[in-house]
Amino acid sequence: MSETLQNCQRRKGAVWAEDQGSILSFGNDESALKAAQDGAALWDRTHWGRLQFTDQDRLSFLHNQTTNTFKTLKPGEGCESVFVTSTARTIDLVSAYVTEEAVVLLVSPTRRAQLMSWCDRYIFFGDKVKIADITAQTITFSLLGPESSRILHKLGISDLPESPHHHITTQIKGHTVRVASGSGLTTPGYTLFADTKVGAELWQALTEQGACPLGEKAWEQLRVTEGRPKPGAELTEDFNPLEAGLWQTISFDKGCYIGQETIARLNTYQGVKQRLWGIQLSESVSVDTPITLEDKKVGVLTSLVETAEGPVGLGYVKTKAGDAGAQVSVGTGIGTLVEVPFLTYPQWTPDPTP
């Protein structure tokens, strides 16, 4: 991130999480969460990774490496997809944006180097694909909330993309900016990409039009309450993307890709015996606390945040433990399973066996 952008954000009261290269809080978490719900909040995602794939095989390469369909995507379109291991264990959930000359992947902060190495390993002799890490040369902001479109309209953008992950190139304050539909959550919004040198001016323009700065602490609360799984918590080599509720990112008829055989078998034989739930907790507990039912372990807590309504978490729970509204034990307290909007699952009859 440029020093100019950091100085601009510090004037807004930013408190930095130096170990993450991100803004922990602007000291306005309650107002920022309200803006994401009723207005427009502005979240700096510049610490996320941006990997650029070029040359003529770029779409077919990503088609063969991840869970979603790439070959049919046209410039201005995009999708979410998951990188998985050969045994279908999750590595990262990414957002892809197809341009005339490239595909840009927005990847989680902790997975940038791993995915660069992973993809490089699968480029074989004769493959016409090149990968570049453009994180340092670019910035990414997300607008979250129902007033996000109004903010952009006031900056002169009249024809905004509507379909998820569709995007346009436009001008803001004389600078080229790519604007994509989607906030990174189910909350309505847009994600903006631009050159690093224009980051401070773009941030200032958005906040001057009424976007409320939002830091990582508030984002984490939104992430957990909406149910977006995160690498190192819900996305690990202990779980696959079907268990993680990422069915919307998976094509079951596109042919071979890494991990495809395992995913197809789990789908065909309804082999998913645990799934990710939101959990309303009666008391705070630590992450990794076992989830039990009648003194038998049925899952594990993977994330926890404090909200105005009390502690809320995410956790994997065996399907035999019940559906939404079911109660389980989490530590010494009670947890109630709740639906979260980011996740999707088929309507299967739960397997009664452990």
Side-chain angles (χ1 to χ4, degrees):
M1 181 183 296
S2 71
E3 183 176 351
T4 304
L5 177 56
Q6 287 190 14
N7 290 337
C8 179
Q9 292 168 335
R10 284 193 173 102
R11 289 197 295 271
K12 296 287 185 179
V15 176
W16 284 80
E18 299 295 347
D19 59 328
Q20 301 176 32
S22 61
I23 301 164
L24 180 63
S25 176
F26 287 91
N28 66 340
D29 294 336
E30 185 176 343
S31 297
L33 289 168
K34 189 176 189 309
Q37 180 180 359
D38 301 326
L42 179 61
W43 172 42
D44 186 356
R45 302 176 73 178
T46 299
H47 60 296
W48 286 52
R50 288 163 293 282
L51 307 182
Q52 179 176 270
F53 294 73
T54 55
D55 218 334
Q56 67 186 59
D57 292 338
R58 59 189 182 273
L59 286 174
S60 59
F61 177 80
L62 289 167
H63 189 88
N64 295 333
Q65 299 300 315
T66 70
T67 59
N68 215 337
T69 298
F70 276 81
K71 286 183 178 179
T72 59
L73 293 176
K74 302 293 190 297
E77 298 178 346
C79 68
E80 287 184 321
S81 197
V82 183
F83 280 89
V84 296
T85 68
S86 59
T87 55
R89 302 299 180 172
T90 54
I91 300 173
D92 195 17
L93 168 65
V94 305
S95 296
Y97 305 94
V98 179
T99 73
E100 293 285 353
E101 304 294 336
V103 181
V104 176
L105 297 189
L106 181 62
V107 308
S108 299
T110 59
R111 291 295 184 262
R112 174 164 58 105
Q114 181 181 357
L115 288 178
M116 275 289 292
S117 176
W118 178 274
C119 290
D120 188 64
R121 183 195 318 171
Y122 288 101
I123 299 177
F124 301 115
F125 180 78
D127 287 344
K128 292 183 172 58
V129 59
K130 299 182 178 68
I131 311 172
D133 185 345
I134 62 170
T135 305
Q137 294 79 46
T138 52
I139 57 94
T140 300
F141 302 152
S142 282
L143 283 166
L144 304 95
E147 293 293 306
S148 297
S149 58
R150 183 185 62 82
I151 297 289
L152 295 174
H153 288 323
K154 289 171 69 175
L155 290 169
I157 307 173
S158 58
D159 190 17
L160 289 166
E162 296 181 1
S163 298
H165 310 295
H166 283 213
H167 49 99
I168 59 170
T169 300
T170 187
Q171 296 286 310
I172 296 179
K173 299 290 185 179
H175 301 298
T176 300
V177 179
R178 186 170 300 278
V179 179
S181 178
S183 66
L185 297 171
T186 58
T187 298
Y190 299 89
T191 296
L192 285 65
F193 302 86
D195 190 275
T196 298
K197 64 185 179 184
V198 307
E201 190 170 351
L202 181 58
W203 181 270
Q204 184 171 344
L206 292 165
T207 55
E208 284 178 349
Q209 296 302 327
C212 179
L214 179 144
E216 288 295 304
K217 184 178 178 182
W219 154 256
E220 181 69 3
Q221 182 168 326
L222 290 172
R223 180 192 76 80
V224 172
T225 54
E226 291 199 21
R228 179 182 173 123
K230 180 175 77 171
E234 293 78 34
L235 303 182
T236 74
E237 292 204 3
D238 292 325
F239 309 107
N240 64 60
L242 304 183
E243 295 169 331
L246 299 176
W247 291 73
Q248 73 277 16
T249 70
I250 300 169
S251 170
F252 292 100
D253 56 9
K254 73 169 189 169
C256 293
Y257 59 91
I258 294 175
Q260 181 265 342
E261 184 177 348
T262 299
I263 288 175
R265 186 168 59 249
L266 288 168
N267 179 49
T268 299
Y269 297 105
Q270 300 188 10
V272 178
K273 294 189 176 182
Q274 61 181 342
R275 58 162 286 183
L276 190 59
W277 284 98
I279 305 176
Q280 186 72 53
L281 296 156
S282 63
E283 60 184 52
S284 291
V285 295
S286 60
V287 170
D288 294 329
T289 295
I291 298 170
T292 60
L293 181 67
E294 297 177 352
D295 296 325
K296 293 182 179 180
K297 183 179 178 180
V298 293
V300 63
L301 189 72
T302 54
S303 291
L304 179 76
V305 293
E306 297 290 340
T307 75
E309 292 74 33
V312 174
L314 292 172
Y316 284 96
V317 181
K318 290 184 178 180
T319 55
K320 70 184 181 67
D323 212 325
Q327 292 193 332
V328 292
S329 296
V330 188
T332 58
I334 300 298
T336 302
L337 305 185
V338 296
E339 300 276 3
V340 283
F342 194 89
L343 307 181
T344 59
Y345 292 93
Q347 296 300 311
W348 283 348
T349 302
D351 188 334
T353 61

